Amino acid sequence: MQIVEIEALGESALQSIAAASSSKELEQVRIAVLGKKGSLTQVLRGMGSVRQEERASLGALVNTTRVRLEEALERRASELKASELEASIKSEAVDVTLPGRSHPLGSEHLISRLTREICEVFRGIGYRVVEGPEVETEYYNFTALNAPADHPSRSLQDTFYVLDRTGVQSKILDESEVLLRPQTSTAQVRVMEEEDPPIYILAPGRVYRRDTADPSHLPQFTQIEGLVVDRGINFAQLKGTLEYFCKEIFGEDRKTRFRPHFFPFTEPSAEVDVSCGICAGEGCRFCGGTGWLEILGCGIVDPNVFGYVGIDSEEYTGFAFGMGVERIACLKYDVPDLRMLLEGDMRFLRQF
Ligand code: DAH
């Protein structure tokens, strides 16, 4: 290896370093010259076979060339790094003048809000809010609510049974049929099984019916069940409680009336109607031309129900009621069709 050749190698390496246009390219140049098999490394390795007299001067030249190249590499590397950083800052720049994406705030649905408000009214007079399962057994839905298997009142509320084709379910649920609950009255039994009187509870939740949707019926709606069990509870207290509730929710000017009715789990039983606010009692499509709308069923707890849960009916009496929240919403806000509450039309819902 001649001095001129080493100088030429150094020169061409310096040119390649200067010409490298990216960190990656520069690294390739470094490997080609100073890497394990690089051209200058090879020269260094070959020093052994150089004649003694030349070795010192040639060696010194190789070394200074290596140092020069390393310095040049370092300089070019930091130049390239800086320009690459600048380029990436430019390309990834955020335009802070662009308008941001807005995240619209959601709000409570009318039915959820009204359910909460009704619970608040009762909470104010000492009730506690509980919840039961939406998929229920026949026992809690009917049997323990005084509607045994052959009771005709069952057919009014027979809804959607959860079919058991595997046999697994009935083993788990004690041979009982399972259905989507048609009423929140099931909560009564569950609470009385667990607790001793005095009981003052409210149980809101979704219920399911084999009904076709029309202005005043929905196959799925929200019900709130109420139950009181204590010493000396009577019908006058039930009436007073529900009249107080109606005034709180509808205002002083709405009329209410109690009509005798039948429910298997109460005796005597009644239905409560509120005067229709849409037609002001004149009669319209919503109230079926009667001027009244039924919003709840109620009554004095049948002693048979106490029998199922082991409460002594000689010592305790109670009252219960169950109301439909969607109907109450329509009456309170003069909505002429229950179905409007479920359509999810924001123009409609934003009004509330
Ligand atoms: N569960 C009844 C229904 O869905 C409503 C009802 C009536 C509940 C009378 C009660 C009650 O607690 O005492 O039609």
Side-chain angles (χ1 to χ4, degrees), residues 41-88:
T41 314
Q42 303 266 323
V43 175
L44 256 169
R45 288 230 177 97
M47 290 303 281
S49 56
V50 172
R51 272 181 296 145
Q52 192 81 46
E53 317 86 82
E54 288 177 6
R55 198 177 291 167
S57 57
L58 217 56
L61 178 62
V62 172
N63 260 332
T64 49
T65 306
R66 188 173 54 85
V67 171
R68 270 176 66 202
L69 291 179
E70 278 170 358
E71 283 169 2
L73 277 165
E74 209 171 296
R75 236 177 295 124
R76 186 70 189 137
S78 63
E79 273 169 30
L80 286 171
K81 224 188 208 166
S83 67
E84 279 163 3
L85 180 66
E86 203 168 312
S88 81

mmCIF file of all heavy atoms in Angstrom, residues 41-88:
data_model
loop_
_atom_site.group_PDB
_atom_site.id
_atom_site.type_symbol
_atom_site.label_atom_id
_atom_site.label_comp_id
_atom_site.label_asym_id
_atom_site.label_seq_id
_atom_site.Cartn_x
_atom_site.Cartn_y
_atom_site.Cartn_z
ATOM 1 N N THR A 41 -9.729 -0.097 7.592
ATOM 2 C CA THR A 41 -9.458 -1.175 8.549
ATOM 3 C C THR A 41 -8.583 -2.246 7.903
ATOM 4 O O THR A 41 -7.648 -2.761 8.523
ATOM 5 C CB THR A 41 -10.785 -1.793 9.030
ATOM 6 O OG1 THR A 41 -11.674 -0.736 9.364
ATOM 7 C CG2 THR A 41 -10.588 -2.686 10.234
ATOM 8 N N GLN A 42 -8.897 -2.562 6.650
ATOM 9 C CA GLN A 42 -8.111 -3.555 5.912
ATOM 10 C C GLN A 42 -6.648 -3.109 5.810
ATOM 11 O O GLN A 42 -5.740 -3.900 5.994
ATOM 12 C CB GLN A 42 -8.673 -3.709 4.485
ATOM 13 C CG GLN A 42 -10.139 -4.088 4.454
ATOM 14 C CD GLN A 42 -10.350 -5.581 4.351
ATOM 15 O OE1 GLN A 42 -9.579 -6.259 3.657
ATOM 16 N NE2 GLN A 42 -11.350 -6.090 5.029
ATOM 17 N N VAL A 43 -6.487 -1.785 5.547
ATOM 18 C CA VAL A 43 -5.128 -1.260 5.411
ATOM 19 C C VAL A 43 -4.381 -1.443 6.737
ATOM 20 O O VAL A 43 -3.264 -1.935 6.784
ATOM 21 C CB VAL A 43 -5.140 0.235 5.002
ATOM 22 C CG1 VAL A 43 -3.720 0.809 4.979
ATOM 23 C CG2 VAL A 43 -5.785 0.400 3.640
ATOM 24 N N LEU A 44 -5.045 -1.109 7.821
ATOM 25 C CA LEU A 44 -4.439 -1.246 9.145
ATOM 26 C C LEU A 44 -4.026 -2.682 9.411
ATOM 27 O O LEU A 44 -2.948 -2.956 9.905
ATOM 28 C CB LEU A 44 -5.437 -0.802 10.218
ATOM 29 C CG LEU A 44 -5.209 0.566 10.850
ATOM 30 C CD1 LEU A 44 -6.414 0.973 11.677
ATOM 31 C CD2 LEU A 44 -3.960 0.566 11.735
ATOM 32 N N ARG A 45 -4.937 -3.588 9.014
ATOM 33 C CA ARG A 45 -4.668 -5.009 9.231
ATOM 34 C C ARG A 45 -3.446 -5.459 8.437
ATOM 35 O O ARG A 45 -2.699 -6.313 8.867
ATOM 36 C CB ARG A 45 -5.877 -5.843 8.768
ATOM 37 C CG ARG A 45 -7.047 -5.699 9.694
ATOM 38 C CD ARG A 45 -7.589 -7.072 10.096
ATOM 39 N NE ARG A 45 -8.679 -6.898 11.040
ATOM 40 C CZ ARG A 45 -9.969 -6.905 10.697
ATOM 41 N NH1 ARG A 45 -10.310 -7.116 9.431
ATOM 42 N NH2 ARG A 45 -10.884 -6.709 11.600
ATOM 43 N N GLY A 46 -3.254 -4.825 7.257
ATOM 44 C CA GLY A 46 -2.164 -5.227 6.367
ATOM 45 C C GLY A 46 -0.788 -4.666 6.764
ATOM 46 O O GLY A 46 0.219 -4.945 6.112
ATOM 47 N N MET A 47 -0.780 -3.872 7.847
ATOM 48 C CA MET A 47 0.468 -3.204 8.239
ATOM 49 C C MET A 47 1.602 -4.194 8.544
ATOM 50 O O MET A 47 2.771 -3.905 8.354
ATOM 51 C CB MET A 47 0.245 -2.313 9.465
ATOM 52 C CG MET A 47 -0.589 -1.069 9.190
ATOM 53 S SD MET A 47 0.078 -0.030 7.904
ATOM 54 C CE MET A 47 1.355 0.807 8.802
ATOM 55 N N GLY A 48 1.213 -5.391 9.001
ATOM 56 C CA GLY A 48 2.208 -6.385 9.357
ATOM 57 C C GLY A 48 3.156 -6.732 8.204
ATOM 58 O O GLY A 48 4.344 -6.982 8.396
ATOM 59 N N SER A 49 2.564 -6.705 7.000
ATOM 60 C CA SER A 49 3.371 -7.118 5.859
ATOM 61 C C SER A 49 4.125 -5.948 5.204
ATOM 62 O O SER A 49 4.803 -6.116 4.195
ATOM 63 C CB SER A 49 2.479 -7.805 4.817
ATOM 64 O OG SER A 49 1.439 -6.913 4.479
ATOM 65 N N VAL A 50 4.012 -4.772 5.831
ATOM 66 C CA VAL A 50 4.716 -3.597 5.281
ATOM 67 C C VAL A 50 6.179 -3.638 5.741
ATOM 68 O O VAL A 50 6.457 -4.057 6.860
ATOM 69 C CB VAL A 50 4.026 -2.292 5.763
ATOM 70 C CG1 VAL A 50 4.854 -1.059 5.381
ATOM 71 C CG2 VAL A 50 2.621 -2.197 5.201
ATOM 72 N N ARG A 51 7.046 -3.169 4.833
ATOM 73 C CA ARG A 51 8.484 -3.204 5.191
ATOM 74 C C ARG A 51 8.754 -2.323 6.401
ATOM 75 O O ARG A 51 8.119 -1.270 6.556
ATOM 76 C CB ARG A 51 9.335 -2.741 4.010
ATOM 77 C CG ARG A 51 9.710 -3.904 3.052
ATOM 78 C CD ARG A 51 10.549 -3.408 1.929
ATOM 79 N NE ARG A 51 9.793 -2.460 1.115
ATOM 80 C CZ ARG A 51 10.312 -1.398 0.521
ATOM 81 N NH1 ARG A 51 11.588 -1.121 0.670
ATOM 82 N NH2 ARG A 51 9.574 -0.592 -0.219
ATOM 83 N N GLN A 52 9.683 -2.801 7.221
ATOM 84 C CA GLN A 52 10.046 -2.143 8.478
ATOM 85 C C GLN A 52 10.229 -0.629 8.337
ATOM 86 O O GLN A 52 9.629 0.145 9.102
ATOM 87 C CB GLN A 52 11.366 -2.751 8.989
ATOM 88 C CG GLN A 52 11.719 -2.388 10.415
ATOM 89 C CD GLN A 52 10.950 -3.280 11.408
ATOM 90 O OE1 GLN A 52 10.887 -4.512 11.235
ATOM 91 N NE2 GLN A 52 10.385 -2.692 12.420
ATOM 92 N N GLU A 53 10.995 -0.161 7.305
ATOM 93 C CA GLU A 53 11.350 1.258 7.155
ATOM 94 C C GLU A 53 10.115 2.113 6.882
ATOM 95 O O GLU A 53 10.031 3.261 7.284
ATOM 96 C CB GLU A 53 12.350 1.519 5.999
ATOM 97 C CG GLU A 53 13.511 0.541 5.877
ATOM 98 C CD GLU A 53 13.143 -0.698 5.051
ATOM 99 O OE1 GLU A 53 13.177 -0.677 3.802
ATOM 100 O OE2 GLU A 53 12.756 -1.689 5.709
ATOM 101 N N GLU A 54 9.146 1.507 6.194
ATOM 102 C CA GLU A 54 7.965 2.299 5.820
ATOM 103 C C GLU A 54 6.872 2.260 6.896
ATOM 104 O O GLU A 54 5.970 3.083 6.900
ATOM 105 C CB GLU A 54 7.376 1.766 4.514
ATOM 106 C CG GLU A 54 8.229 2.101 3.295
ATOM 107 C CD GLU A 54 7.648 1.501 2.022
ATOM 108 O OE1 GLU A 54 6.522 0.920 2.094
ATOM 109 O OE2 GLU A 54 8.309 1.631 0.985
ATOM 110 N N ARG A 55 7.000 1.251 7.727
ATOM 111 C CA ARG A 55 5.871 0.978 8.636
ATOM 112 C C ARG A 55 5.483 2.198 9.484
ATOM 113 O O ARG A 55 4.301 2.539 9.581
ATOM 114 C CB ARG A 55 6.182 -0.199 9.548
ATOM 115 C CG ARG A 55 4.911 -0.776 10.166
ATOM 116 C CD ARG A 55 5.181 -1.972 10.994
ATOM 117 N NE ARG A 55 5.589 -3.112 10.193
ATOM 118 C CZ ARG A 55 6.127 -4.230 10.698
ATOM 119 N NH1 ARG A 55 6.354 -4.319 11.998
ATOM 120 N NH2 ARG A 55 6.466 -5.228 9.918
ATOM 121 N N ALA A 56 6.494 2.894 10.054
ATOM 122 C CA ALA A 56 6.203 4.006 10.951
ATOM 123 C C ALA A 56 5.480 5.137 10.235
ATOM 124 O O ALA A 56 4.414 5.593 10.672
ATOM 125 C CB ALA A 56 7.493 4.530 11.564
ATOM 126 N N SER A 57 5.989 5.555 9.103
ATOM 127 C CA SER A 57 5.372 6.693 8.407
ATOM 128 C C SER A 57 3.993 6.328 7.869
ATOM 129 O O SER A 57 3.024 7.086 7.980
ATOM 130 C CB SER A 57 6.281 7.183 7.271
ATOM 131 O OG SER A 57 6.528 6.104 6.384
ATOM 132 N N LEU A 58 3.927 5.082 7.308
ATOM 133 C CA LEU A 58 2.637 4.636 6.769
ATOM 134 C C LEU A 58 1.600 4.511 7.889
ATOM 135 O O LEU A 58 0.451 4.959 7.781
ATOM 136 C CB LEU A 58 2.828 3.279 6.087
ATOM 137 C CG LEU A 58 2.022 3.032 4.812
ATOM 138 C CD1 LEU A 58 2.289 4.124 3.786
ATOM 139 C CD2 LEU A 58 2.339 1.657 4.236
ATOM 140 N N GLY A 59 2.065 3.924 8.994
ATOM 141 C CA GLY A 59 1.189 3.753 10.156
ATOM 142 C C GLY A 59 0.664 5.091 10.650
ATOM 143 O O GLY A 59 -0.531 5.251 10.921
ATOM 144 N N ALA A 60 1.587 6.080 10.732
ATOM 145 C CA ALA A 60 1.160 7.399 11.202
ATOM 146 C C ALA A 60 0.112 7.988 10.260
ATOM 147 O O ALA A 60 -0.903 8.549 10.684
ATOM 148 C CB ALA A 60 2.365 8.321 11.296
ATOM 149 N N LEU A 61 0.331 7.800 8.975
ATOM 150 C CA LEU A 61 -0.616 8.342 7.981
ATOM 151 C C LEU A 61 -1.996 7.677 8.135
ATOM 152 O O LEU A 61 -3.033 8.341 8.152
ATOM 153 C CB LEU A 61 -0.066 8.127 6.565
ATOM 154 C CG LEU A 61 -0.996 8.598 5.446
ATOM 155 C CD1 LEU A 61 -1.245 10.106 5.538
ATOM 156 C CD2 LEU A 61 -0.439 8.241 4.071
ATOM 157 N N VAL A 62 -1.967 6.350 8.254
ATOM 158 C CA VAL A 62 -3.249 5.629 8.419
ATOM 159 C C VAL A 62 -3.985 6.157 9.650
ATOM 160 O O VAL A 62 -5.184 6.432 9.609
ATOM 161 C CB VAL A 62 -3.018 4.104 8.531
ATOM 162 C CG1 VAL A 62 -4.325 3.385 8.892
ATOM 163 C CG2 VAL A 62 -2.478 3.553 7.234
ATOM 164 N N ASN A 63 -3.228 6.338 10.735
ATOM 165 C CA ASN A 63 -3.848 6.818 11.971
ATOM 166 C C ASN A 63 -4.444 8.207 11.843
ATOM 167 O O ASN A 63 -5.579 8.449 12.257
ATOM 168 C CB ASN A 63 -2.829 6.799 13.106
ATOM 169 C CG ASN A 63 -3.040 5.568 13.978
ATOM 170 O OD1 ASN A 63 -4.157 5.054 14.070
ATOM 171 N ND2 ASN A 63 -1.968 5.092 14.590
ATOM 172 N N THR A 64 -3.659 9.146 11.266
ATOM 173 C CA THR A 64 -4.215 10.498 11.129
ATOM 174 C C THR A 64 -5.415 10.478 10.194
ATOM 175 O O THR A 64 -6.406 11.168 10.423
ATOM 176 C CB THR A 64 -3.173 11.506 10.593
ATOM 177 O OG1 THR A 64 -2.552 10.943 9.453
ATOM 178 C CG2 THR A 64 -2.140 11.855 11.642
ATOM 179 N N THR A 65 -5.347 9.653 9.158
ATOM 180 C CA THR A 65 -6.497 9.551 8.244
ATOM 181 C C THR A 65 -7.727 9.064 9.019
ATOM 182 O O THR A 65 -8.827 9.602 8.889
ATOM 183 C CB THR A 65 -6.189 8.559 7.101
ATOM 184 O OG1 THR A 65 -4.964 8.957 6.480
ATOM 185 C CG2 THR A 65 -7.302 8.545 6.066
ATOM 186 N N ARG A 66 -7.498 8.055 9.858
ATOM 187 C CA ARG A 66 -8.629 7.508 10.628
ATOM 188 C C ARG A 66 -9.222 8.587 11.540
ATOM 189 O O ARG A 66 -10.431 8.793 11.572
ATOM 190 C CB ARG A 66 -8.146 6.323 11.479
ATOM 191 C CG ARG A 66 -9.273 5.561 12.180
ATOM 192 C CD ARG A 66 -8.743 4.316 12.861
ATOM 193 N NE ARG A 66 -7.636 4.631 13.774
ATOM 194 C CZ ARG A 66 -7.829 5.030 15.043
ATOM 195 N NH1 ARG A 66 -9.029 5.119 15.531
ATOM 196 N NH2 ARG A 66 -6.777 5.312 15.797
ATOM 197 N N VAL A 67 -8.346 9.325 12.224
ATOM 198 C CA VAL A 67 -8.830 10.370 13.125
ATOM 199 C C VAL A 67 -9.591 11.447 12.346
ATOM 200 O O VAL A 67 -10.683 11.871 12.743
ATOM 201 C CB VAL A 67 -7.649 10.989 13.925
ATOM 202 C CG1 VAL A 67 -8.112 12.222 14.703
ATOM 203 C CG2 VAL A 67 -7.071 9.961 14.889
ATOM 204 N N ARG A 68 -9.053 11.830 11.197
ATOM 205 C CA ARG A 68 -9.731 12.851 10.372
ATOM 206 C C ARG A 68 -11.118 12.376 9.943
ATOM 207 O O ARG A 68 -12.099 13.118 9.979
ATOM 208 C CB ARG A 68 -8.896 13.176 9.126
ATOM 209 C CG ARG A 68 -7.898 14.321 9.343
ATOM 210 C CD ARG A 68 -7.050 14.516 8.127
ATOM 211 N NE ARG A 68 -7.799 14.986 6.977
ATOM 212 C CZ ARG A 68 -7.404 14.845 5.708
ATOM 213 N NH1 ARG A 68 -6.276 14.216 5.431
ATOM 214 N NH2 ARG A 68 -8.125 15.331 4.719
ATOM 215 N N LEU A 69 -11.124 11.101 9.491
ATOM 216 C CA LEU A 69 -12.413 10.561 9.030
ATOM 217 C C LEU A 69 -13.420 10.483 10.183
ATOM 218 O O LEU A 69 -14.587 10.824 10.030
ATOM 219 C CB LEU A 69 -12.223 9.175 8.403
ATOM 220 C CG LEU A 69 -11.475 9.157 7.065
ATOM 221 C CD1 LEU A 69 -11.340 7.730 6.554
ATOM 222 C CD2 LEU A 69 -12.180 10.021 6.031
ATOM 223 N N GLU A 70 -12.927 10.064 11.354
ATOM 224 C CA GLU A 70 -13.855 9.975 12.499
ATOM 225 C C GLU A 70 -14.419 11.345 12.860
ATOM 226 O O GLU A 70 -15.607 11.486 13.137
ATOM 227 C CB GLU A 70 -13.138 9.366 13.711
ATOM 228 C CG GLU A 70 -13.104 7.844 13.637
ATOM 229 C CD GLU A 70 -12.190 7.208 14.690
ATOM 230 O OE1 GLU A 70 -11.546 7.952 15.456
ATOM 231 O OE2 GLU A 70 -12.137 5.968 14.723
ATOM 232 N N GLU A 71 -13.542 12.352 12.816
ATOM 233 C CA GLU A 71 -14.012 13.707 13.117
ATOM 234 C C GLU A 71 -15.033 14.174 12.085
ATOM 235 O O GLU A 71 -16.072 14.737 12.420
ATOM 236 C CB GLU A 71 -12.822 14.688 13.158
ATOM 237 C CG GLU A 71 -12.028 14.585 14.442
ATOM 238 C CD GLU A 71 -10.702 15.356 14.377
ATOM 239 O OE1 GLU A 71 -10.427 15.999 13.325
ATOM 240 O OE2 GLU A 71 -9.950 15.290 15.350
ATOM 241 N N ALA A 72 -14.701 13.881 10.815
ATOM 242 C CA ALA A 72 -15.611 14.295 9.736
ATOM 243 C C ALA A 72 -16.965 13.607 9.881
ATOM 244 O O ALA A 72 -18.022 14.210 9.707
ATOM 245 C CB ALA A 72 -14.990 13.982 8.381
ATOM 246 N N LEU A 73 -16.910 12.299 10.241
ATOM 247 C CA LEU A 73 -18.158 11.539 10.434
ATOM 248 C C LEU A 73 -18.996 12.163 11.544
ATOM 249 O O LEU A 73 -20.211 12.340 11.412
ATOM 250 C CB LEU A 73 -17.845 10.090 10.797
ATOM 251 C CG LEU A 73 -17.535 9.139 9.633
ATOM 252 C CD1 LEU A 73 -16.903 7.861 10.146
ATOM 253 C CD2 LEU A 73 -18.813 8.825 8.843
ATOM 254 N N GLU A 74 -18.301 12.508 12.633
ATOM 255 C CA GLU A 74 -19.026 13.059 13.777
ATOM 256 C C GLU A 74 -19.699 14.382 13.429
ATOM 257 O O GLU A 74 -20.864 14.613 13.747
ATOM 258 C CB GLU A 74 -18.039 13.266 14.923
ATOM 259 C CG GLU A 74 -18.691 13.151 16.283
ATOM 260 C CD GLU A 74 -17.612 13.135 17.364
ATOM 261 O OE1 GLU A 74 -16.805 12.167 17.374
ATOM 262 O OE2 GLU A 74 -17.579 14.077 18.154
ATOM 263 N N ARG A 75 -18.927 15.217 12.715
ATOM 264 C CA ARG A 75 -19.468 16.525 12.338
ATOM 265 C C ARG A 75 -20.701 16.375 11.434
ATOM 266 O O ARG A 75 -21.733 16.954 11.664
ATOM 267 C CB ARG A 75 -18.390 17.357 11.620
ATOM 268 C CG ARG A 75 -18.138 18.708 12.270
ATOM 269 C CD ARG A 75 -17.023 19.456 11.562
ATOM 270 N NE ARG A 75 -15.735 18.764 11.690
ATOM 271 C CZ ARG A 75 -14.964 18.389 10.646
ATOM 272 N NH1 ARG A 75 -15.356 18.618 9.405
ATOM 273 N NH2 ARG A 75 -13.816 17.787 10.849
ATOM 274 N N ARG A 76 -20.502 15.512 10.400
ATOM 275 C CA ARG A 76 -21.600 15.324 9.445
ATOM 276 C C ARG A 76 -22.825 14.717 10.155
ATOM 277 O O ARG A 76 -23.968 15.079 9.869
ATOM 278 C CB ARG A 76 -21.135 14.411 8.308
ATOM 279 C CG ARG A 76 -22.137 14.262 7.168
ATOM 280 C CD ARG A 76 -22.273 15.539 6.370
ATOM 281 N NE ARG A 76 -23.382 15.459 5.419
ATOM 282 C CZ ARG A 76 -24.244 16.445 5.204
ATOM 283 N NH1 ARG A 76 -24.121 17.585 5.853
ATOM 284 N NH2 ARG A 76 -25.207 16.316 4.315
ATOM 285 N N ALA A 77 -22.547 13.802 11.093
ATOM 286 C CA ALA A 77 -23.659 13.162 11.802
ATOM 287 C C ALA A 77 -24.488 14.194 12.554
ATOM 288 O O ALA A 77 -25.726 14.180 12.512
ATOM 289 C CB ALA A 77 -23.143 12.096 12.768
ATOM 290 N N SER A 78 -23.799 15.142 13.234
ATOM 291 C CA SER A 78 -24.605 16.100 13.993
ATOM 292 C C SER A 78 -25.318 17.078 13.064
ATOM 293 O O SER A 78 -26.437 17.507 13.360
ATOM 294 C CB SER A 78 -23.771 16.807 15.067
ATOM 295 O OG SER A 78 -22.755 17.569 14.470
ATOM 296 N N GLU A 79 -24.666 17.393 11.893
ATOM 297 C CA GLU A 79 -25.370 18.243 10.911
ATOM 298 C C GLU A 79 -26.674 17.572 10.449
ATOM 299 O O GLU A 79 -27.732 18.176 10.433
ATOM 300 C CB GLU A 79 -24.485 18.456 9.674
ATOM 301 C CG GLU A 79 -23.514 19.628 9.768
ATOM 302 C CD GLU A 79 -22.503 19.567 8.610
ATOM 303 O OE1 GLU A 79 -22.861 19.044 7.516
ATOM 304 O OE2 GLU A 79 -21.370 20.017 8.827
ATOM 305 N N LEU A 80 -26.487 16.282 10.061
ATOM 306 C CA LEU A 80 -27.660 15.560 9.535
ATOM 307 C C LEU A 80 -28.753 15.414 10.590
ATOM 308 O O LEU A 80 -29.938 15.574 10.305
ATOM 309 C CB LEU A 80 -27.250 14.175 9.032
ATOM 310 C CG LEU A 80 -26.475 14.176 7.710
ATOM 311 C CD1 LEU A 80 -25.917 12.795 7.417
ATOM 312 C CD2 LEU A 80 -27.361 14.645 6.547
ATOM 313 N N LYS A 81 -28.325 15.140 11.823
ATOM 314 C CA LYS A 81 -29.301 14.983 12.905
ATOM 315 C C LYS A 81 -30.123 16.260 13.054
ATOM 316 O O LYS A 81 -31.352 16.216 13.164
ATOM 317 C CB LYS A 81 -28.566 14.690 14.212
ATOM 318 C CG LYS A 81 -29.219 13.579 15.016
ATOM 319 C CD LYS A 81 -28.549 13.498 16.355
ATOM 320 C CE LYS A 81 -28.607 12.094 16.923
ATOM 321 N NZ LYS A 81 -27.680 11.960 18.051
ATOM 322 N N ALA A 82 -29.438 17.386 13.053
ATOM 323 C CA ALA A 82 -30.128 18.662 13.219
ATOM 324 C C ALA A 82 -31.116 18.903 12.092
ATOM 325 O O ALA A 82 -32.269 19.285 12.325
ATOM 326 C CB ALA A 82 -29.113 19.795 13.294
ATOM 327 N N SER A 83 -30.678 18.639 10.852
ATOM 328 C CA SER A 83 -31.591 18.930 9.743
ATOM 329 C C SER A 83 -32.746 17.929 9.717
ATOM 330 O O SER A 83 -33.878 18.262 9.374
ATOM 331 C CB SER A 83 -30.853 18.973 8.407
ATOM 332 O OG SER A 83 -30.380 17.700 8.089
ATOM 333 N N GLU A 84 -32.455 16.679 10.123
ATOM 334 C CA GLU A 84 -33.541 15.697 10.166
ATOM 335 C C GLU A 84 -34.569 16.061 11.239
ATOM 336 O O GLU A 84 -35.780 15.918 11.043
ATOM 337 C CB GLU A 84 -32.988 14.288 10.412
ATOM 338 C CG GLU A 84 -32.469 13.649 9.139
ATOM 339 C CD GLU A 84 -31.557 12.438 9.380
ATOM 340 O OE1 GLU A 84 -31.373 12.056 10.547
ATOM 341 O OE2 GLU A 84 -31.040 11.917 8.401
ATOM 342 N N LEU A 85 -34.080 16.549 12.376
ATOM 343 C CA LEU A 85 -34.990 16.971 13.445
ATOM 344 C C LEU A 85 -35.882 18.114 12.973
ATOM 345 O O LEU A 85 -37.107 18.107 13.166
ATOM 346 C CB LEU A 85 -34.180 17.402 14.673
ATOM 347 C CG LEU A 85 -35.000 17.860 15.878
ATOM 348 C CD1 LEU A 85 -35.799 16.688 16.445
ATOM 349 C CD2 LEU A 85 -34.110 18.455 16.963
ATOM 350 N N GLU A 86 -35.222 19.056 12.283
ATOM 351 C CA GLU A 86 -35.983 20.200 11.787
ATOM 352 C C GLU A 86 -37.079 19.753 10.809
ATOM 353 O O GLU A 86 -38.217 20.193 10.882
ATOM 354 C CB GLU A 86 -35.034 21.170 11.090
ATOM 355 C CG GLU A 86 -35.566 22.577 11.043
ATOM 356 C CD GLU A 86 -34.455 23.527 10.621
ATOM 357 O OE1 GLU A 86 -33.355 23.438 11.196
ATOM 358 O OE2 GLU A 86 -34.715 24.327 9.711
ATOM 359 N N ALA A 87 -36.687 18.810 9.924
ATOM 360 C CA ALA A 87 -37.645 18.317 8.935
ATOM 361 C C ALA A 87 -38.817 17.620 9.610
ATOM 362 O O ALA A 87 -39.979 17.822 9.245
ATOM 363 C CB ALA A 87 -36.952 17.366 7.974
ATOM 364 N N SER A 88 -38.505 16.829 10.657
ATOM 365 C CA SER A 88 -39.614 16.118 11.291
ATOM 366 C C SER A 88 -40.510 17.078 12.063
ATOM 367 O O SER A 88 -41.722 16.907 12.113
ATOM 368 C CB SER A 88 -39.100 14.980 12.176
ATOM 369 O OG SER A 88 -38.682 15.483 13.425
#
